[in-house]
Amino acid sequence: IFGATDYTVAIDVWSSVCVIAEMVLQEPLFPGESAIDQLVEIIKVLGVPTKKQLFEMNPNQNSFKFPDIKAQAWQKVLKNRADPLLVDLISKALVYSPIDRLSAAQCLIHPYFDELKTPDFQINGQSFPQLLEFSEGELNYAQDVGDQLVPCLLYTSPSPRDRQKSRMPSSA
């Protein structure tokens, strides 16, 4: 977007949350035949980006001129089909600035996904597979949210952090 050629994993969050929104809508969120068409559709939803947002997306780009277009309410964009918690998740993940966008780990700890973290979660009467088995590296990457990502209530003993520590070689 906006001529950016360097991307972080924040673009993967954008893409994933677009897919979630499209599942709700059952149609493309930002339809377009070309990159310009798609950009116009994004602006119709998010409004015109600020100079700061443009810089955060692409520090080399500063020449875009747009008409004054205001952001739409996400509930309206999603045609009142989405749970308020999902609307909140989408509104925090689909923002112009990759710096302000939720990280993948932050998305996973969003209250919209809390039901998946309960030990008795089922789909169509079937137990759901364990989703919260993360490697040591994954937990280290998400250490700011790790305790929320792997809630202790799922495990009788030891806690997820203690289980990870017990897998680490001792320094003694």
Side-chain angles (χ1 to χ4, degrees), residues 24 40 80 101 156:
V24 170
V40 168
N80 294 315
R101 194 172 301 147
T156 52

Side-chain angles (χ1 to χ4, degrees), residues 117-128:
K117 300 172 197 163
T118 60
D120 57 345
F121 180 72
Q122 295 185 344
I123 294 180
N124 298 329
Q126 300 279 325
S127 294
F128 208 67

Side-chain angles (χ1 to χ4, degrees), residues 89-164:
L89 171 69
I90 291 170
S91 72
K92 291 175 179 172
L94 295 184
V95 296
Y96 284 121
S97 173
I99 296 166
D100 296 333
R101 194 172 301 147
L102 292 179
S103 69
Q106 289 169 324
C107 287
L108 290 174
I109 65 164
H110 189 278
Y112 178 72
F113 295 113
D114 282 354
E115 185 179 17
L116 296 176
K117 300 172 197 163
T118 60
D120 57 345
F121 180 72
Q122 295 185 344
I123 294 180
N124 298 329
Q126 300 279 325
S127 294
F128 208 67
Q130 181 55 259
L131 297 176
L132 303 174
E133 289 291 327
F134 295 95
S135 70
E136 180 181 329
E138 290 167 328
L139 286 175
N140 286 338
Y141 176 77
Q143 64 189 32
D144 60 324
V145 296
D147 290 334
Q148 294 168 303
L149 191 56
V150 185
C152 293
L153 64 96
L154 290 179
Y155 306 98
T156 52
S157 181
S159 74
R161 283 276 183 211
D162 291 339
R163 286 189 333 185
Q164 288 300 323

